[in-house]
Amino acid sequence: MSFGRVLLAIIFPPFAVMDKGCGSVLIVFLLTGAGWVPGVIAALVILNRNLK
């Protein structure tokens, strides 16, 4: 997880998870719409997990 991704997750969370799949973007977008903090937390969790 690079500094740029973390900064992007803080500023606008859905853009940070664009390459993680449609479901991740949708979840983060909905959580960001419900409140900025849940969207940031979800984006950071998704970026932090290792998908192989």
Side-chain angles (χ1 to χ4, degrees):
M1 187 165 49
S2 68
F3 178 73
R5 283 284 177 118
V6 172
L7 190 60
L8 190 59
I10 293 171
I11 295 171
F12 192 68
F15 281 156
V17 295
M18 283 297 228
D19 64 339
K20 301 296 182 182
C22 183
S24 296
V25 174
L26 183 62
I27 290 170
V28 173
F29 184 77
L30 290 174
L31 285 171
T32 303
W36 176 73
V37 174
V40 170
I41 292 171
L44 291 174
V45 167
I46 289 171
L47 289 175
N48 195 26
R49 66 181 179 176
N50 293 330
L51 296 177
K52 293 183 180 182

